[in-house]
Amino acid sequence: MTSTNQPPRKSGSIEHYDVVIIGAGVSGMYALHHFREMGLSVRVYDGASDIGGTWWYNRYPGARVDGPGSPFYCYTFSEKLMQEWDWAETQSEQSAVLAYLEHVADRFDLRRDIQFETWVEDARYDEAAQRWTVETSTGVSASAPFLICAVGALSTTNMPDIPGINDFAGECYHTGRWPHEPVSFEGKRVAVIGTGSSGIQSIPEIAREAAHVTVLQRTAQYSVPAGNRPITPEEMAEAREDFDAICAKMHANPGGFPFDNHTRMALDHTPEERNAHYEKLWQRGGFKFFLDGYNDIAVSEEANASLADFIRDKIREIVHDPETAEKLMPDYFVMTKRPILDDGYFETFNRDNVTLVDLREDPIERFTPTSVVTRSGEHPIDMLVLATGFDAISGSMLRLNPKGRGGMSLEERWQDRFHNYLGLTIAGFPNLFMIHGPGSPGVFYNMPLGAERQLNWIGDFMGHLEKHGMGAVEPTTDSEEAWGNEVSGIANATLFPRTDSWWTGANIPGKPRYFSAYLGGSLYYQRIADVAAKDYEGFAFEQAHRADDA
Ligand code: NA7
């Protein structure tokens, strides 16, 4: 392998590295740092003009961390970094997360190895050279034995295909591609399609400023108060006090946060006890509403109904107009779509400048240059906000569509299912590694920590390959099949696969429909460690054809 801090070697117009990384978001940034620390030469490409990935793009009004949140939605690879960064709020705003990532990029001098505003348009494996070659939108080509796809689980936007939408002449923004210039809603009639996290975070903000907001809802959602509040200096001090103990607790927790595990089951409690518990959690708010609830919510229909009823009652209490409240009643198993945190979402429907359209009864028929037309009539609008989400988890890998052995495209390989082993590797695509891809815990785990843990494992694997003179590695199709069965087995023991969601691919027409994330939480990291301990069981190895300085 070549050594770091050297100018890239070129042959023809191709630059040569040890590792090419696609994506400069949370995962790609750590990948760069980690492989550089290993002494490898690394190049990162990203289509955006700066670091941050999802946090660079999703700057819509109200965008915040809506998971368990700060101060533990962060990297853990550097104790100093954890010690020196102050988080202001429990649910950090997008700008605060981006400021943190910018600090990381500065502190570890990441940008010097990242080429921005550069899309990787083609990635192809050369079997003879045992290297990947990438072609980019700027004309630069690069080759490396290892390709790391840190392309994001939530980055390929889902643009709805609705008749006339391209004829709409007003302003139109997707929440996942929000402009960097300020967007004014003042005096405007705004329609928002989508009531997932992005819609539910942005609608109250838009309604405060706009003349009128029409919310176009396909699925009514469970959402609970975000309970955002300042982080006290004492809490920050506590989080820093014993770095090793905090990290150990994060590693042991199923979701990667330093929280205590509990064994409460809803069905062991009376309805009164359950409601008292839910009420306490509701008053506190935050993602812990779900984590500190009961462990059988996601597996027992009866337990699930107890929580669903509690939230539905809350919606009826908050929303004054009973007809609107009924349209807002969710009817799926709670928690089987991404749980949502809000700041005054249901209250927003008490404003007289907000109208709710239930698309199940009153579907969109078309757009005109100045309006959206639903079955019941025309809604004149000046602006359209598409909070319609993403082709999640597998979408960005398919958009990249790498070509593996024999020129086979990932699109062909993944026609019926997102075949993979350990959520990291794909048969026929040697030396390619996915971060947060299908088959991994991905969005079900603290994502910065998950990226670190996957990338540390990959780094060790690369060291193993070099030590043993191996030039290429890929999983066997048998190990892919066994892994797929394991992932599905865990999911099928829960209620998750029974609901249409972006977790099951149901939001994208034509996408294979099954629950593709590994739901075993931190058990996953034990599984991949066990595979490593057994000399990378399940992989097929190929001797290096020749020295790496090809
Ligand atoms: P989501 O959670 O996928 O939400 C998208 C929303 O858009 C959801 O309500 C969809 O309804 C709706 N949608 C999508 N396509 C259409 C069409 N064609 N017509 C009407 N409504 C549509 O994306 P978010 O950006 O909110 O959140 C993604 C993640 O980002 C989130 O979980 C956080 O982790 C951060 P549906 O429910 O599919 O019926």
Side-chain angles (χ1 to χ4, degrees):
M1 291 186 184
T2 53
S3 65
T4 191
N5 301 331
Q6 301 284 324
R9 285 169 306 113
K10 296 188 180 187
S11 62
S13 59
I14 298 187
E15 299 177 358
H16 298 283
Y17 301 96
D18 292 326
V19 186
V20 161
I21 298 167
I22 308 178
V26 171
S27 307
M29 289 169 66
Y30 177 66
L32 167 58
H33 173 71
H34 184 58
F35 297 132
R36 227 163 52 179
E37 289 288 290
M38 286 173 60
L40 305 179
S41 64
V42 187
R43 192 64 167 164
V44 184
Y45 299 101
D46 196 298
S49 36
D50 206 347
I51 54 89
T54 291
W55 292 107
W56 190 84
Y57 284 108
N58 283 264
R59 45 184 79 214
Y60 57 83
R64 285 179 183 276
V65 172
D66 72 343
S70 312
F72 302 112
Y73 178 86
C74 65
Y75 295 116
T76 62
F77 67 86
S78 157
E79 176 168 359
K80 274 195 183 149
L81 175 63
M82 207 146 166
Q83 297 291 351
E84 73 198 6
W85 189 258
D86 277 321
W87 293 98
E89 297 178 302
T90 55
Q91 306 303 139
S92 297
E93 286 181 329
Q94 172 269 341
S95 58
V97 180
L98 195 57
Y100 166 75
L101 295 175
E102 281 168 357
H103 168 74
V104 174
D106 291 342
R107 199 181 186 298
F108 297 96
D109 191 16
L110 298 182
R111 288 187 183 87
R112 74 178 148 90
D113 287 321
I114 306 175
Q115 190 170 320
F116 293 109
E117 298 182 3
T118 304
W119 286 97
V120 172
E121 295 184 329
D122 192 44
R124 218 165 261 278
Y125 186 67
D126 178 339
E127 294 178 54
Q130 295 174 313
R131 297 178 76 93
W132 282 90
T133 301
V134 300
E135 309 281 343
T136 71
S137 56
T138 55
V140 170
S141 305
S143 112
F146 296 104
L147 182 67
I148 305 293
C149 301
V151 289
L154 293 161
S155 69
T156 300
T157 50
N158 172 31
M159 300 304 246
D161 181 16
I162 300 172
I165 195 163
N166 294 327
D167 302 332
F168 176 65
E171 294 166 79
C172 178
Y173 308 111
H174 191 289
T175 48
R177 286 288 180 279
W178 201 258
H180 286 228
E181 305 72 44
V183 172
S184 170
F185 306 102
E186 216 174 306
K188 293 177 186 161
R189 296 160 303 176
V190 182
V192 181
I193 307 186
T195 52
S197 303
S198 307
I200 284 181
Q201 286 185 331
S202 59
I203 287 163
E205 299 283 330
I206 299 171
R208 270 193 270 282
E209 211 188 301
H212 193 269
V213 179
T214 304
V215 176
L216 299 159
Q217 169 194 277
R218 185 163 74 182
T219 304
Q221 297 275 18
Y222 301 96
S223 178
V224 308
N228 181 41
R229 59 173 179 79
I231 295 179
T232 63
E234 293 73 33
E235 283 172 313
M236 271 317 305
E238 202 181 312
R240 290 172 173 148
E241 201 169 293
D242 190 345
F243 177 79
D244 290 336
I246 291 273
C247 288
K249 218 168 169 185
M250 288 168 84
H251 281 227
N253 177 267
F257 288 91
F259 303 148
D260 292 324
N261 300 331
H262 65 81
T263 54
R264 269 185 303 280
M265 294 290 185
L267 300 185
D268 292 343
H269 290 217
T270 65
E272 293 72 28
E273 286 169 337
R274 284 196 295 254
N275 278 342
H277 186 56
Y278 294 145
E279 183 62 37
K280 196 176 75 191
L281 297 175
W282 180 274
Q283 293 308 329
R284 187 183 64 186
F287 207 86
K288 279 185 133 190
F289 179 90
F290 300 102
L291 303 179
D292 285 351
Y294 293 107
N295 288 348
D296 47 356
I297 300 291
V299 292
S300 151
E301 288 191 29
E302 194 184 339
N304 195 280
S306 73
L307 180 58
D309 287 343
F310 175 85
I311 301 179
R312 283 194 282 255
D313 285 346
K314 283 291 180 194
I315 300 171
R316 285 192 190 95
E317 260 175 47
I318 297 170
V319 179
H320 300 160
D321 173 37
E323 212 178 297
T324 305
E326 278 320 297
K327 288 185 194 168
L328 287 165
M329 283 306 131
D331 61 1
Y332 59 92
F333 294 119
V334 60
M335 281 174 68
T336 58
K337 277 165 108 71
R338 170 62 155 79
I340 299 177
L341 304 183
D342 71 273
D343 189 5
Y345 174 66
F346 295 115
E347 289 82 348
T348 298
F349 293 95
N350 296 331
R351 299 178 65 105
D352 45 19
N353 68 334
V354 178
T355 310
L356 177 65
V357 177
D358 177 357
L359 297 180
R360 289 194 189 170
E361 294 174 353
D362 189 10
I364 300 174
E365 291 188 338
R366 64 182 192 282
F367 280 86
T368 74
T370 56
S371 67
V372 52
V373 181
T374 63
R375 187 185 289 160
S376 66
E378 184 167 8
H379 310 262
I381 54 170
D382 305 301
M383 187 193 287
L384 174 62
V385 173
L386 300 171
T388 44
F390 303 91
D391 184 351
I393 307 175
S394 51
S396 299
M397 281 303 299
L398 284 165
R399 181 175 59 177
L400 175 67
N401 197 24
K403 317 295 179 309
R405 281 196 194 281
M408 174 179 278
S409 73
L410 188 63
E411 212 171 68
E412 287 169 75
R413 188 76 228 292
W414 277 6
Q415 242 168 27
D416 59 331
R417 202 180 160 88
F418 311 116
H419 303 281
N420 69 80
Y421 181 44
L422 309 178
L424 287 161
T425 56
I426 308 163
F429 295 76
N431 298 3
L432 176 153
F433 294 93
M434 301 181 285
I435 311 302
H436 296 317
S440 77
V443 294
F444 284 85
Y445 195 78
N446 184 348
M447 292 185 87
L449 179 64
E452 286 178 336
R453 297 185 78 177
Q454 284 194 316
L455 284 155
N456 293 345
W457 186 92
I458 294 167
D460 290 348
F461 199 5
M462 288 177 180
H464 175 91
L465 296 174
E466 188 172 33
K467 186 169 156 204
H468 293 89
M470 298 297 166
V473 68
E474 64 189 292
T476 64
T477 50
D478 284 351
S479 46
E480 280 189 333
E481 196 180 330
W483 184 251
N485 291 339
E486 183 171 336
V487 170
S488 291
I490 300 171
N492 291 341
T494 72
L495 300 172
F496 286 102
R498 291 168 59 183
T499 297
D500 282 351
S501 70
W502 55 259
W503 292 336
T504 59
N507 64 329
I508 303 295
K511 193 166 170 169
R513 290 278 280 272
Y514 76 104
F515 195 93
S516 64
Y518 182 91
L519 273 184
S522 50
L523 180 64
Y524 169 81
Y525 297 97
Q526 189 54 52
R527 287 287 286 107
I528 62 174
D530 289 346
V531 166
K534 290 181 188 161
D535 284 334
Y536 296 94
E537 187 181 46
F539 286 97
F541 295 87
E542 193 180 83
Q543 288 289 329
H545 288 173
R546 54 185 189 169
D548 267 348
D549 56 352

